[in-house]
Amino acid sequence: MLDKNYDAKSVEPRIAKAWDDANAFAAGAGAKPDADPFCIVIPPPNVTGSLHMGHALNNTLQDILTRYKRMLGQNVLWQPGMDHAGIATQMVVERKLAEEGKRRTDFTREEFVEKIWEWKAQSGGTIFNQLKRLGASCDWSREKFTMGEKGEADDPMVQAVMKVFVDLYNEGLIYRGKRLVNWDPHFETAISDLEVENVETEGHMWHFKYPLADGATYEYVEKDEDGTVTLRETRDYISIATTRPETMLGDGAVAVHTDDERYAPIVGKLCEIPVGPKEHRRLIPIITDEYPDPDFGSGAVKITGAHDFNDYMVAKRNNIPMYRLMDTKAAMRADGAPYAQDAARAMEIAKSGNTPDENTVDAINLIPDDLRGLDRYEAREKVIEQITSEGLAIMVPETDPRLGPVKAALAPEEGGEVSALVPLVEKNKMQQPYGDRSKVVIEPMLTDQWFCDAETLAKPALASVKEGRTEFVPKSWENTYFNWMENIQPWCISRQLWWGHRIPAWFDDAGKFYVAMHEAGAQAQAGEGVALKRDEDVLDTWFSSALWPFSTLGWPKHTDALNTYYPTTVLSTAFDIIFFWVARMMMMGLHFMKDEDGRGIEPFKTVYIHPLVRDKLGQKMSKSKGNGIDPLETADEYGTDALRFTLAIMAVQGRDVKLDPQRIAGYRNFGTKLWNATRFAQMNDVVTGEDFDPATATYPLNRWILTELGRAAAEVTDALERYRFNDAAGAAYRFVWNTFCDWHLELLKPVFNGDDEAAKAEARAVAGYVLDQIYALLHPFMPFMTEELWQQTAAKRDTLLCHADWPVAEVNDEAAAHSINWLIELVSEIRSARSEMNIKPSLMVPLVVANGDNETRALFDTHSPAIERLARVESIAFADSVPDGAAQIVVGGQTICMPLAGLVDFDAEISRLEKDLKGIEKDIAQAQGKLNNEKFVANAPQAVIEENQARLADRQDRKAKVSAALKRVRSFQRG
RNA sequence: GGACGAUUAGCUCAGCGGUAGAGCACUACAUUGACAUUGUAGGGGUCACUGGUUCAAUCCCAGUAUCGUCCACCA
């Protein structure tokens, strides 16, 4: 006999061990011979990670699919593994060192990397243990790590990365170059576009004068739309607006729009950057380009090619030198020659118009000596101060509307004096780029990096989805994918970190590099005796993640696993890594995995995008907000199965999951319900674990529940196949609680209490069979409790539940369904009438069937014990007319009475019948209206017309009976 | 600036051309019988708004409003 309560805490570890001991989740375990493969590669959690609700959701859904397919007998592999997560891991370990008062740079690179390996060995398994607690049925023996066992060069996981790099390089799809990249000054590394978050911040825009060289002047004319002159003055400067004054030091030109007439007179002339020691002020040319917007600011833009992406393009187009101003920490450069010397050098360049090669330019340090080494924001303040004090800021009255609401409020109210002049500093909302990990402002920086030609790789990846070889679920995400892939930029794959796959390129002293799988290969290319040094950089973490669907299966070796499980079946992930990961797996998979005809093979057939978990208010869960719900704490409190079931039933397509702990409690109750249903079965000697052929059942009740079971199983199956987890869980829930527990078990009670031994025997067998099927049906959602019930309710089982057969519909008996549904309706109607007429639940009432037809009599015959018990009926009689003083209900076209003179509240009965009648009349009016409408009859499908006709007939019949009932009650009350 | 999604019961959400559903919450009743982590019954909705298509619209189309998310952005 089961314990009174399900104790998740003691059951879960025991069941987990049973699975483990049986190797139940090994690739192909439980598969039927020649079964189709089914493979999911887990989105590898960060080695630093610990389980959060998003993991819990995604892995629960993957586990549901995996367990379901395994029970179907497919050849299943759920491939687990972890990601080395370059920046994130380095960050965690550095933080740990900081606690000991140490820094990364206190160690050599080798020592530091070793520390990370130590750390991984020590606590890297945390998240896997957490996933196991969740019940994740991965083949844990196949666990992989993106860096391999120990990061050794000959480790297959490392080899895969090296081979991909080398092959792509040799194909010209990876190249090296000096480009403007997003630079993270905190981690001192380049990052990709995707790792930059744009955050709207309150910024400022300063307006400065760039004086024309040699005191030149020009006529500055502004016109309105009609061409009327609104301003005409002689200027000896050009006005520039900037949000980043500190970058003025690296300006290479001032650009105006090609058609901007205001500046036409001075195009080609030189102007002076108004900062730095006067004697070394640099002159830069005024050029034209399509980029400046004449309507924004002054229409003139300073061009700082090394610190702004737009400027970079302009500078490249116009061969303008790009002067790098900052070091890796985004402090103003302190290296190189003294300012006087380099400034003079830059001056020559500007005058000559011949820009030297990029390395020569990069060596020039244009930071004035007093600003060298300053943080970029300190430098900004100084630059502003210097320019302003020199009188080169654009000055406006305090009332100028561009100064924003604060300044405008200071305007004199009584139109008196003209306000003082103040520097024009506009407040403006701007998007500021932040590093997604470091949370510091990203600096565009001109550096040497490795790039991957994503555009070329994206083309087949785009076609695969366009042509349906890989499908997104929900489909709407395909647009997101297309949009990004169609506008894809070169992918910066190098990182200036210590933790990661080191780039397989070796440099000689001249700076020439050789790309090869191993140093020996590079040496061979360079020639003997040439001193080589390996590139210090590592690869972007996502570079190795992109290989996950085939590297985990053994590629570049042609392993059995690779042959069997690639392409994988479905990838389940969150939308926010479609770009980071999904798109790149598509690119790499298609490029490196080819069929016999040389056509690329997609890494997965389906990409299921799961919803995001938010808190009950719809806020994203985050540590900083403190609104996170910890999945393991939740599992401790309610049981893992309750959490899993909640996540599944809330996982709707196309909408986020707002998780309210109350819901979890609700589904914990569902588990308890099933547990107790099993206890009830045990108390009544129900037999589980037997071979029972449902087709042999004869009693309507049994055939009905088998019919309902089949329908539920079909519904769950269909929903799972379509990744509609909420529908699947909901169908199972309704069947178990509302059909099996509420009705079937209740209807069994009179059978078990009766003395028809044959009926009892079949009822026991069927109930046992249904319970076994329920365990199976719920197993993917609630693996622990169902496995426990499966084992506890039978002395011996042939298999673990996780390898049992998935339920299929075996009985479909319309007649039995009709019979029991009539019974359910009758009982419900009687209960409802009793309740509304305030008949005490304890009171047993007599039932009189007036003018009952043969079918009705037969139904009463069959079901009288159930009716008596469930509706609390003391007797059932048949009569030719309705007795006086009776409550009356209409079920199946028959009037059924409860003669309860003296006990029935007739006012209540009248209002009940009136309400009933009103509803019926409304139905009649609607159906009648439709059927009287010629257009409806002419256009509506026959089935709909018939449905309305049937409804009308039924309601008219009901109306007659209910009206008659009402009439009788009224006359009885009067009489 | 572009794109996508949402708007249905008090709350959280399903549904989606053919008479509006669930869970929670709420109300009333039931107490030793598998289960109070329960049972029975009940109340509660112009399906955001405005047009259009249709015999028929919560559902399809167009527009509006509000909210959310993503992408791209102006020095």
Side-chain angles (χ1 to χ4, degrees):
Chain A
M1 188 56 154
L2 291 177
D3 293 341
K4 184 137 181 28
N5 281 306
Y6 172 66
D7 179 17
K9 275 205 177 73
S10 70
V11 169
E12 288 175 10
R14 182 154 40 78
I15 294 296
K17 184 166 183 302
W19 289 329
D20 204 31
D21 290 348
N23 237 337
F25 309 136
K32 301 206 163 98
D34 302 318
D36 287 338
F38 175 89
C39 180
I40 296 182
V41 287
I42 203 169
N46 289 357
V47 61
T48 58
S50 64
L51 195 77
H52 59 59
M53 209 41 105
H55 292 128
L57 173 70
N58 191 15
N59 288 293
T60 294
L61 300 184
Q62 289 172 73
D63 193 50
I64 288 169
L65 291 173
T66 304
R67 286 179 185 268
Y68 157 63
K69 293 289 181 177
R70 196 179 285 118
M71 292 172 81
L72 275 180
Q74 285 189 233
N75 179 356
V76 171
L77 167 62
W78 186 9
Q79 171 65 49
M82 278 188 298
D83 197 291
H84 68 278
I87 290 187
T89 306
Q90 184 161 324
M91 185 168 85
V92 167
V93 174
E94 282 191 64
R95 200 180 291 152
K96 225 170 73 62
L97 288 177
E99 285 168 16
E100 302 161 17
K102 289 183 191 142
R103 286 187 306 184
R104 169 168 60 106
T105 43
D106 296 340
F107 302 89
T108 66
R109 178 174 184 150
E110 286 64 33
E111 287 167 348
F112 181 75
V113 167
E114 188 50 39
K115 287 228 169 275
I116 301 186
W117 282 108
E118 279 167 23
W119 182 86
K120 178 192 177 266
Q122 184 190 335
S123 56
T126 307
I127 194 157
F128 277 169
N129 291 327
Q130 293 172 325
L131 283 172
K132 284 179 190 169
R133 272 208 54 198
L134 201 64
S137 62
C138 298
D139 181 351
W140 299 105
S141 69
R142 294 187 49 86
E143 177 187 334
K144 293 289 190 296
F145 184 50
T146 48
M147 293 262 287
E149 296 283 312
K150 268 306 241 161
E152 307 286 344
D154 55 357
D155 190 298
M157 292 297 287
V158 178
Q159 290 275 300
V161 175
M162 296 303 131
K163 180 169 166 53
V164 165
F165 186 95
V166 172
D167 285 0
L168 288 177
Y169 175 78
N170 289 333
E171 292 168 57
L173 295 173
I174 282 181
Y175 53 90
R176 183 175 160 83
K178 197 183 278 297
R179 301 287 141 88
L180 197 60
V181 296
N182 295 295
W183 186 268
D184 187 315
H186 178 259
F187 291 116
E188 298 175 67
T189 177
I191 57 176
S192 75
D193 303 355
L194 288 173
E195 291 159 284
V196 176
E197 282 173 354
N198 288 309
V199 180
E200 187 170 274
T201 42
E202 189 71 39
H204 300 277
M205 194 155 73
W206 290 267
H207 294 251
F208 299 128
K209 294 177 180 176
Y210 280 44
L212 295 181
D214 307 321
T217 61
Y218 66 111
E219 186 88 327
Y220 179 82
V221 181
E222 237 166 50
K223 295 176 181 168
D224 66 12
E225 285 164 11
D226 309 325
T228 315
V229 173
T230 54
L231 175 69
R232 180 190 293 274
E233 63 183 19
T234 300
R235 285 187 177 176
D236 60 357
Y237 66 89
I238 183 165
S239 170
I240 304 286
T242 180
T243 54
R244 306 208 47 201
E246 72 279 14
T247 65
M248 287 168 63
L249 296 160
D251 288 353
V254 167
V256 297
H257 191 266
T258 322
D259 304 329
D260 196 334
E261 291 175 18
R262 293 172 296 179
Y263 301 112
I266 53 170
V267 167
K269 298 210 157 113
L270 296 173
C271 62
E272 188 180 273
I273 302 172
V275 67
K278 268 216 141 124
E279 59 279 22
H280 301 304
R281 292 264 165 99
R282 282 199 298 126
L283 295 175
I284 52 175
I286 297 166
I287 62 165
T288 59
D289 194 88
E290 295 299 318
Y291 163 64
D293 175 2
D295 297 326
F296 187 85
S298 67
V301 189
K302 67 192 213 52
I303 300 301
T304 320
H307 288 278
D308 181 280
F309 285 96
N310 287 309
D311 292 6
Y312 177 73
M313 301 302 291
V314 178
K316 270 192 99 157
R317 277 200 288 273
N318 296 281
N319 196 27
I320 303 293
M322 307 186 219
Y323 297 114
R324 185 169 57 83
L325 301 174
M326 299 176 202
D327 64 15
T328 57
K329 293 190 165 80
M332 307 314 280
R333 282 173 69 173
D335 62 329
Y339 178 69
Q341 193 180 319
D342 272 352
R345 187 77 220 290
M347 188 96 86
E348 283 166 30
I349 293 170
K351 279 191 175 150
S352 72
N354 292 327
T355 304
D357 74 86
E358 53 191 29
N359 287 328
T360 308
V361 172
D362 193 67
I364 296 174
N365 179 356
L366 291 178
I367 307 301
D369 299 328
D370 63 326
L371 299 180
R372 291 193 175 193
L374 290 186
D375 175 77
R376 54 189 159 163
Y377 296 110
E378 289 175 84
R380 176 181 299 178
E381 293 309 314
K382 293 234 165 169
V383 166
I384 293 166
E385 200 183 297
Q386 287 172 14
I387 300 174
T388 307
S389 67
E390 208 180 307
L392 288 172
I394 304 280
M395 305 297 283
V396 294
E398 276 182 10
T399 52
D400 192 296
R402 286 174 293 176
L403 291 170
V406 182
K407 290 279 183 185
L410 297 172
E413 289 194 6
E414 321 273 319
E417 301 157 43
V418 178
S419 343
L421 290 177
V422 295
L424 175 54
V425 183
E426 288 181 70
K427 280 200 174 134
N428 69 339
K429 289 215 164 73
M430 46 186 268
Q431 297 286 336
Q432 195 137 40
Y434 283 84
D436 63 353
R437 292 276 172 195
S438 64
K439 308 293 176 198
V440 302
V441 176
I442 292 305
E443 186 65 42
M445 195 82 85
L446 199 55
T447 55
D448 290 306
Q449 301 291 345
W450 294 89
F451 294 88
C452 177
D453 178 357
E455 201 182 334
T456 301
L457 292 173
K459 278 184 185 130
L462 201 47
S464 290
V465 178
K466 286 239 152 114
E467 289 157 23
R469 288 188 295 277
T470 292
E471 265 185 318
F472 280 71
V473 176
K475 209 166 179 58
S476 56
W477 289 109
E478 290 182 0
N479 284 328
T480 305
Y481 176 84
F482 293 149
N483 189 34
W484 190 68
M485 289 294 244
E486 281 162 4
N487 299 298
I488 198 161
Q489 299 297 312
W491 172 19
C492 177
I493 52 173
S494 44
R495 297 289 180 274
Q496 288 65 50
L497 300 171
W498 282 356
W499 176 240
H501 287 282
R502 200 150 162 189
I503 289 176
W506 283 262
F507 287 82
D508 63 19
D509 290 340
K512 193 162 185 265
F513 59 82
Y514 309 90
V515 172
M517 294 279 289
H518 297 283
E519 181 161 8
Q523 193 72 63
Q525 291 176 40
E528 268 191 56
V530 178
L532 291 180
K533 205 172 158 227
R534 188 169 185 174
D535 194 330
E536 298 283 335
D537 291 355
V538 299
L539 286 162
D540 179 6
T541 297
W542 296 102
F543 190 88
S544 48
S545 315
L547 321 181
W548 195 242
F550 50 92
S551 64
T552 51
L553 298 175
W555 189 89
K557 291 206 184 89
H558 293 280
T559 59
D560 287 345
L562 189 65
N563 291 335
T564 307
Y565 297 113
Y566 191 96
T568 69
T569 316
V570 56
L571 178 84
S572 174
T573 194
F575 76 87
D576 51 355
I577 56 174
I578 290 176
F579 305 147
F580 275 116
W581 194 44
V582 179
R584 286 158 178 176
M585 284 191 286
M586 287 293 287
M587 294 189 229
M588 294 301 191
L590 283 161
H591 194 79
F592 285 95
M593 301 298 292
K594 306 276 186 184
D595 64 16
E596 295 110 21
D597 306 325
R599 247 208 50 229
I601 311 173
E602 292 74 14
F604 21 72
K605 299 187 190 86
T606 301
V607 179
Y608 170 74
I609 302 295
H610 70 70
L612 230 54
V613 187
R614 297 172 180 278
D615 72 5
K616 64 175 179 179
L617 301 172
Q619 310 243 353
K620 210 169 167 171
M621 287 186 187
S622 72
K623 271 183 205 157
S624 52
K625 279 189 207 133
N627 62 345
I629 303 175
D630 180 60
L632 296 172
E633 281 173 22
T634 308
D636 281 341
E637 187 171 356
Y638 302 102
T640 299
D641 290 333
L643 171 64
R644 289 174 55 118
F645 198 85
T646 307
L647 291 171
I649 207 163
M650 296 192 74
V652 173
Q653 284 184 13
R655 194 176 228 187
D656 294 339
V657 170
K658 288 186 202 161
L659 191 62
D660 183 344
Q662 252 186 338
R663 289 293 290 262
I664 306 171
Y667 295 115
R668 185 260 330 260
N669 297 354
F670 174 60
T672 308
K673 189 76 182 174
L674 176 63
W675 186 263
N676 281 301
T678 300
R679 290 185 73 225
F680 170 78
Q682 288 190 325
M683 288 171 189
N684 289 283
D685 304 318
V686 163
V687 189
T688 49
E690 295 288 314
D691 277 335
F692 173 76
D693 179 3
T696 61
T698 56
Y699 290 84
L701 178 60
N702 295 332
R703 296 190 63 78
W704 163 77
I705 193 65
L706 291 164
T707 301
E708 293 292 329
L709 169 70
R711 288 179 186 165
E715 217 179 318
V716 174
T717 305
D718 177 62
L720 286 179
E721 288 293 341
R722 295 189 299 136
Y723 304 99
R724 309 205 40 130
F725 296 96
N726 62 317
D727 288 339
Y733 179 96
R734 284 191 300 277
F735 174 71
V736 171
W737 200 317
N738 303 125
T739 303
F740 182 69
C741 292
D742 287 350
W743 289 105
H744 186 240
L745 292 187
E746 291 304 322
L747 291 168
L748 279 179
K749 285 175 183 172
V751 177
F752 290 147
N753 293 338
D755 41 23
D756 182 340
E757 290 306 323
K760 273 192 220 181
E762 189 181 284
R764 285 182 183 130
V766 170
Y769 172 81
V770 173
L771 273 171
D772 279 348
Q773 297 289 294
I774 285 173
Y775 303 149
L777 206 53
L778 283 175
H779 180 73
F781 305 93
M782 309 176 57
F784 292 104
M785 180 189 282
T786 51
E787 186 79 69
E788 170 74 1
L789 287 170
W790 177 260
Q791 291 179 15
Q792 280 220 28
T793 53
K796 188 178 169 300
R797 296 279 188 180
D798 294 336
T799 65
L800 290 166
L801 178 58
C802 63
H803 291 160
D805 286 339
W806 183 250
V808 290
E810 303 225 37
V811 173
N812 186 8
D813 189 331
E814 289 293 342
H818 175 78
S819 174
I820 304 300
N821 287 335
W822 173 86
L823 171 62
I824 289 173
E825 189 190 346
L826 175 71
V827 170
S828 299
E829 287 290 336
I830 296 172
R831 284 170 171 171
S832 179
R834 290 178 58 124
S835 167
E836 285 188 41
M837 291 183 305
N838 303 316
I839 295 169
K840 275 195 196 141
S842 56
L843 184 70
M844 301 294 281
V845 301
L847 219 57
V848 176
V849 183
N851 303 308
D853 60 17
N854 287 340
E855 193 202 339
T856 308
R857 282 171 185 258
L859 285 167
F860 271 103
D861 251 17
T862 311
H863 297 306
S864 58
I867 295 164
E868 284 163 4
R869 182 183 173 108
L870 269 60
R872 304 196 62 74
V873 165
E874 64 175 6
S875 62
I876 298 169
F878 296 90
D880 293 339
S881 63
V882 173
D884 277 349
Q888 303 153 69
I889 56 174
V890 179
V891 173
Q894 306 291 310
T895 303
I896 291 147
C897 317
M898 287 178 275
L900 291 166
L903 287 167
V904 174
D905 176 344
F906 284 99
D907 287 336
E909 171 69 348
I910 287 168
S911 75
R912 185 180 71 84
L913 290 170
E914 277 173 345
K915 201 177 94 188
D916 199 4
L917 197 58
K918 221 170 132 187
I920 292 167
E921 279 168 351
K922 198 178 139 206
D923 284 358
I924 289 174
Q926 274 185 12
Q928 193 86 266
K930 281 193 179 174
L931 291 165
N932 288 346
N933 181 342
E934 282 171 31
K935 286 184 173 172
F936 173 76
V937 178
N939 291 308
Q942 195 55 32
V944 175
I945 295 171
E946 279 168 17
E947 191 190 322
N948 276 278
Q949 283 167 340
R951 185 180 297 137
L952 183 61
D954 175 77
R955 296 306 190 276
Q956 280 171 337
D957 182 55
R958 264 188 88 83
K959 184 184 171 181
K961 299 222 158 67
V962 173
S963 306
L966 192 55
K967 209 167 146 190
R968 283 190 291 267
V969 181
R970 283 189 173 131
S971 81
F972 177 78
Q973 195 183 28
R974 275 197 300 274

